[in-house]
């Protein structure tokens, strides 16, 4: 249960994987993270030309609907051999929004004739915080490549196909904590966190143990 002295922050998503990642990334701060499953949020058409435009739009809508500071992200995979696609269309690459299996299947089909050394890609995430008239943004990128078949049963989205050289595994093969060390969303939060701490005048929890 939320305590009165702890700031509350609404993360504008129904994606439980994203919520779990964000709560892990903010675990060292005295802040309560709510999601779209905790408070009613309006549907937002994500038709911006950039990740930043979509993230800001969702954050502003969530803040206006709840009266609370709101955080939103827009993220996706950019594949070099496809000219940066799916990009901002990652969540609806195969048509229906959020159909991970269909999106992965289309990506594999589009890259069927692309050799391994040209399957380079990156995950990009933009986080936007809206609190009244204040809007803060930060971007994070994680480089990797697209495999020819999925590996791992964890994660969400394109995680089973995205191989990260520094991990020697796909995001779907590692836990939230390991992924949180180098994911695009983690890197965006690392850039945003100092701004968030300053904005809310927060203090990080001292280390335990």
């Amino acid at each position: 249960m939320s305590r009165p002295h702890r700031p509350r922050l609404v993360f504008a998503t129904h994606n439980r994987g994203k919520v779990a990642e964000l709560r892990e990334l903010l675990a060292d701060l005295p802040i309560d993270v709510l999601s779209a499953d905790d408070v009613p949020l309006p549907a937002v058409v994500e038709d911006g030309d950039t990740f930043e435009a979509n993230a800001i739009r969702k954050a502003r809508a969530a803040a206006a609907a709840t009266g609370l500071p709101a955080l939103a992200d827009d993220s996706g995979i950019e594949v070099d051999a496809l000219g940066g696609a799916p990009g901002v269309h990652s969540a609806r690459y195969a048509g229906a929004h959020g159909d991970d299996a269909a999106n992965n299947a289309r990506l594999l089909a589009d890259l069927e004739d692309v050799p391994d050394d040209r399957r380079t890609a990156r995950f990009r995430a933009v986080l936007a915080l809206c609190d009244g008239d204040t809007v803060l943004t930060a971007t994070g990128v994680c480089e990797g490549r697209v495999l020819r078949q999925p590996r791992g049963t964890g994660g969400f989205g394109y995680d089973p196909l995205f191989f990260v050289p520094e991990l020697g595994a796909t995001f779907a093969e590692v836990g939230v904590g390991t992924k949180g060390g180098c994911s695009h969303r983690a890197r965006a939060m690392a850039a945003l966190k100092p701004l968030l701490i300053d904005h809310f005048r927060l203090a990080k929890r001292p280390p335990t143990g």
Side-chain angles (χ1 to χ4, degrees), residues 27 36 52 87 89 93 103 106 111 119 127 147-148 160 176 183 190 203 205:
E52 182 174 272
H89 304 295
Y93 192 43
N103 289 334
R106 178 179 174 184
L111 292 175
R119 298 169 76 94
L127 288 170
L147 299 179
R148 293 190 176 275
V176 171
S183 77
R205 292 176 183 168

Side-chain angles (χ1 to χ4, degrees), residues 67-148:
L68 296 170
L71 184 71
D73 93 312
D74 198 39
S75 56
I77 190 170
E78 300 170 336
V79 182
D80 294 323
L82 300 178
V88 294
H89 304 295
S90 292
R92 55 187 184 280
Y93 192 43
H97 190 282
D99 189 335
D100 291 348
N103 289 334
N104 279 277
R106 178 179 174 184
L107 183 60
L108 287 176
D110 288 349
L111 292 175
E112 183 176 4
D113 297 324
V114 177
D116 291 349
D117 62 353
R118 292 188 54 231
R119 298 169 76 94
T120 53
R122 69 206 45 82
F123 269 130
R124 185 181 304 275
V126 175
L127 288 170
L129 173 73
C130 179
D131 186 14
D133 294 330
T134 299
V135 176
L136 306 172
T137 63
T139 300
V141 174
C142 181
E143 299 285 344
R145 61 184 174 88
V146 180
L147 299 179
R148 293 190 176 275

Side-chain angles (χ1 to χ4, degrees), residues 2 5 55 66 73 132 200:
S2 240
H5 65 282
T66 63
D73 93 312
F200 291 110

Side-chain angles (χ1 to χ4, degrees), residues 1-196:
M1 179 179 295
S2 240
R3 286 166 286 185
H5 65 282
R6 289 169 61 95
R8 293 192 299 166
L9 179 68
V10 177
F11 189 28
T13 184
H14 287 283
N15 187 313
R16 293 182 179 180
K18 289 185 178 182
V19 173
E21 283 186 20
L22 185 71
R23 284 177 172 152
E24 178 78 16
L25 293 169
L26 294 179
D28 60 337
L29 298 182
I31 191 166
D32 289 330
V33 178
L34 308 178
S35 74
D37 291 332
D38 301 312
V39 293
L41 296 179
V44 177
V45 178
E46 299 177 39
D47 57 359
D49 293 330
T50 64
F51 293 121
E52 182 174 272
N54 285 330
I56 291 174
R57 183 172 300 178
K58 289 186 285 186
R60 282 178 168 158
T66 63
L68 296 170
L71 184 71
D73 93 312
D74 198 39
S75 56
I77 190 170
E78 300 170 336
V79 182
D80 294 323
L82 300 178
V88 294
H89 304 295
S90 292
R92 55 187 184 280
Y93 192 43
H97 190 282
D99 189 335
D100 291 348
N103 289 334
N104 279 277
R106 178 179 174 184
L107 183 60
L108 287 176
D110 288 349
L111 292 175
E112 183 176 4
D113 297 324
V114 177
D116 291 349
D117 62 353
R118 292 188 54 231
R119 298 169 76 94
T120 53
R122 69 206 45 82
F123 269 130
R124 185 181 304 275
V126 175
L127 288 170
L129 173 73
C130 179
D131 186 14
D133 294 330
T134 299
V135 176
L136 306 172
T137 63
T139 300
V141 174
C142 181
E143 299 285 344
R145 61 184 174 88
V146 180
L147 299 179
R148 293 190 176 275
Q149 58 186 15
R151 281 174 35 181
T153 57
F156 56 92
Y158 298 92
D159 284 357
L161 293 178
F162 189 73
F163 180 83
V164 185
E166 63 189 283
L167 296 177
T170 69
F171 277 154
E173 292 179 293
V174 299
V176 171
T178 301
K179 179 182 178 182
C182 68
S183 77
H184 49 309
R185 196 165 294 105
R187 287 170 174 166
M189 179 51 71
L192 184 66
K193 187 180 283 190
L195 305 178
L196 189 151

